[in-house]
Amino acid sequence: MAESYDLIVLGSGPGGYVAAIRASQLGLKVAIVERERLGGICLNWGCIATKALLRSAEIYHYMMHAAQYGLSNEKPSFDLAKVVDRSRKVAGQLNAGIKGLMKKNKVAVHEGVGTITAKGKLSVKQGDKTTELEAKHIIIATGARARDLPFAKADGAKIWTYRHAMVPPEMPTKLLVIGSGAIGVEFASFYNDMGADVTIVEMLDRIMPVEDAEVSEFMHKALTKQGMTIKTKSGLEKLEAGPAGVKAAIKGPDGKVETTEFSHAIVAIGIVPNTENIGLEALKIEAERGHIKTDGYGKTNVDGIWAIGDVTGAPWLAHKASHEGVIAAEAIAKALGNKDVHPHAMDKNNIPGCTYARPQVASVGFTEAKAKEAGYSVKVGKFPFIGNGKAIALGEAEGFVKTVFDAKTGELLGAHMVGAEVTEMIQGYVVARQLETTETELTQTVFAHPTISESMHESVLAAYGRAIHI
């Protein structure tokens, strides 16, 4: 006889485990199914573990430049195996934390490969054992995986995806990074700071193409200044791996193809949703290019089946998945009769994006170009970190904050930052957008001194011709 629940969550990444916890808080009987490790890609192989690597690179960078702070540090070095080991221990600690949260919230954990066999029914296979489960509702939260090059699949030796790049068998000497989104730029930053000769190849006309054009331009200059080679409007024609490294044929904007040798290559050209072989076809769950179609609450076209996170499309971000998990859990609880929950549909334009390179990048809302495309008349403010006392004192005076406002209403349409600690600062603007704040409230807000966040205030003032320190 099948074990019965109110809700089964298929996948335990930042969307799945958060949905399970929220549903349990609302009094539902919940099970979660996971084929690998609790916490999913983000916790074990992505968000957190990469930040541990980047922290090591950041400290090593400061060690290499200690003299700028009046300090001495002769012949700094690193042990790559220990750097990786620290990252894996961080991931392991958090994985154990998720196990504790599942137990605390009375969420039943079923390990194995889950398949939806019918509406409200799911089988879990682990080895020779198959467990049958049933529930009133099922949330699909199976995430995504790295997209391979069709002509050169990652082998883990010389051609890597992000998973290989996190546990490198050796330190690259000359590294090719294919793709300049957040993942590509973060790994480029890490390996460059650790001493590799890094080249980034991007098909589009600028790196980090989803960001504001001024941020992309700044990052291009900053990464080039750090020693990276950046090739935009360039495509990879061929990639061949051998015992000594890889040979890459790169077609430039002039149409010429040049072949260059590298020790390793990282492929960071996007993701593929994990929607195969989980039962979508049998239930006729609608999908587009593999991504499951949902409404703002995570509901699919099939009653009782929901989907959240990377399987539902861009933006492919952990915090987007987590928030979708909360929304879906609350919508399910409401459907089951809970009158005290009032879920709100997801507004993707209020989801912040962060890149943890050196320098950091963070943004929310419309870029200047997108705001104009949407028909807004805009006021734009920009303030450089060189005008901020705290940034100068920290030795981090490169960067800026840019804000975009509706000229008619004063609504904050978007905010874009590049520089030290901006991934922490962006949340101020995210809250402002959620509260539908205008320039009036932001102008009248008091920012602590000395903080880098004062640049946020100055950027708002600059949009209206009132900047003080520039």
Side-chain angles (χ1 to χ4, degrees):
M1 185 175 178
E3 297 181 37
S4 184
Y5 298 91
D6 294 314
L7 170 65
I8 298 171
V9 182
L10 181 58
S12 72
Y17 85 76
V18 169
I21 290 172
R22 182 63 184 132
S24 180
Q25 289 174 344
L26 293 168
L28 304 188
K29 184 181 179 183
V30 185
I32 198 163
V33 176
E34 175 55 55
R35 68 180 181 181
E36 290 186 41
R37 303 185 71 191
L38 288 172
I41 292 298
C42 175
L43 188 150
N44 293 289
W45 293 102
C47 319
I48 305 301
T50 54
K51 303 314 163 281
L53 291 178
L54 286 161
R55 178 61 168 167
S56 292
E58 180 184 36
I59 292 173
Y60 184 62
H61 167 74
Y62 285 130
M63 289 169 63
M64 294 287 287
H65 296 84
Q68 295 179 10
Y69 297 87
L71 307 172
S72 60
N73 186 32
E74 293 184 8
K75 296 182 179 179
S77 62
F78 65 88
D79 184 324
L80 183 62
K82 290 182 179 179
V83 169
V84 172
D85 182 59
R86 177 180 180 272
S87 172
R88 301 317 306 150
K89 284 179 178 176
V90 167
Q93 180 180 342
L94 292 170
N95 172 261
I98 301 300
K99 289 181 181 178
L101 287 172
M102 295 298 97
K103 184 176 181 181
K104 175 185 175 183
N105 288 279
K106 298 180 174 60
V107 175
V109 177
H110 293 271
E111 296 180 352
V113 177
T115 305
I116 302 171
T117 55
K119 282 181 63 175
K121 296 186 182 297
L122 190 147
S123 68
V124 183
K125 186 174 183 180
Q126 186 178 41
D128 296 330
K129 180 184 177 183
T130 299
T131 303
E132 300 297 334
L133 309 177
E134 62 181 24
K136 298 167 187 173
H137 295 269
I138 295 172
I139 293 178
I140 299 169
T142 46
R145 61 189 183 276
R147 184 181 296 278
D148 265 318
L149 288 167
F151 52 83
K153 291 192 175 184
D155 58 11
K158 299 299 179 181
I159 302 175
W160 299 344
T161 64
Y162 63 86
R163 290 185 72 148
H164 304 121
M166 294 201 56
V167 287
E170 57 201 1
M171 180 67 192
T173 53
K174 190 175 182 181
L175 175 66
L176 173 65
V177 177
I178 306 156
S180 71
I183 292 174
V185 169
E186 284 182 0
F187 277 115
S189 184
F190 170 74
Y191 281 108
N192 184 72
D193 274 347
M194 301 302 281
D197 178 359
V198 176
T199 296
I200 298 175
V201 172
E202 171 58 55
M203 289 184 65
L204 300 179
D205 61 353
R206 58 189 177 95
I207 63 169
M208 307 190 75
V210 301
E211 300 293 344
D212 188 88
E214 288 190 84
V215 171
S216 291
E217 181 182 3
F218 183 96
M219 283 297 288
H220 191 126
K221 291 178 180 177
L223 299 181
T224 300
K225 186 178 179 181
Q226 292 176 24
M228 296 189 204
T229 299
I230 299 176
K231 298 178 181 290
T232 55
K233 297 181 182 178
S234 300
L236 192 69
E237 298 286 293
K238 195 174 183 181
L239 188 67
E240 293 181 332
V246 295
K247 288 183 179 180
I250 302 169
K251 186 177 182 179
D254 58 1
K256 294 181 180 179
V257 178
E258 293 185 0
T259 299
T260 308
E261 295 186 359
F262 298 88
S263 66
H264 301 79
I266 296 176
V267 179
I269 56 172
I271 61 94
V272 178
N274 294 323
T275 50
E276 306 97 336
N277 305 316
I278 61 172
L280 299 190
E281 299 80 10
L283 271 68
K284 295 183 170 53
I285 297 171
E286 291 183 1
E288 185 175 356
R289 295 181 181 177
H291 290 101
I292 300 172
K293 291 184 178 181
T294 62
D295 64 8
Y297 298 89
K299 192 172 184 178
T300 71
N301 64 302
V302 177
D303 190 42
I305 305 293
W306 308 68
I308 61 174
D310 287 356
V311 290
T312 66
W316 298 285
L317 300 168
H319 44 279
K320 174 252 195 183
S322 294
H323 195 63
E324 284 181 325
V326 170
I327 292 171
E330 292 183 351
I332 290 168
K334 183 178 179 180
L336 292 174
N338 189 323
K339 297 179 181 179
D340 296 323
V341 290
H342 307 283
H344 295 273
M346 169 71 81
D347 182 355
K348 292 184 179 180
N349 215 29
N350 284 347
I351 300 171
C354 296
T355 301
Y356 299 82
R358 188 178 61 82
Q360 296 178 7
V361 174
S363 60
V364 67
F366 289 97
T367 64
E368 181 180 355
K370 289 293 184 183
K372 290 177 179 177
E373 285 178 21
Y376 289 100
S377 175
V378 300
K379 284 185 178 290
V380 178
K382 187 176 172 184
F383 188 81
F385 279 13
I386 193 65
N388 178 270
K390 178 69 177 292
I392 295 171
L394 291 177
E396 302 285 0
E398 292 190 0
F400 65 83
V401 177
K402 178 178 180 178
T403 45
V404 183
F405 292 90
D406 183 344
K408 295 179 180 178
T409 66
E411 177 190 356
L412 175 65
L413 298 175
H416 310 275
M417 307 171 163
V418 58
E421 302 306 324
V422 298
T423 56
E424 296 291 339
M425 290 159 50
I426 192 63
Q427 198 60 38
Y429 286 134
V430 177
V431 172
R433 276 192 52 82
Q434 189 67 29
L435 297 177
E436 300 180 352
T437 301
T438 69
E439 55 72 33
T440 301
E441 289 83 20
L442 289 169
T443 295
Q444 295 174 0
T445 299
V446 178
F447 285 71
H449 176 79
T451 60
I452 304 178
S453 64
E454 289 176 279
S455 298
M456 299 166 64
H457 193 213
E458 291 274 9
S459 177
V460 174
L461 295 173
Y464 290 84
R466 294 178 52 185
I468 303 297
H469 292 96
I470 190 172

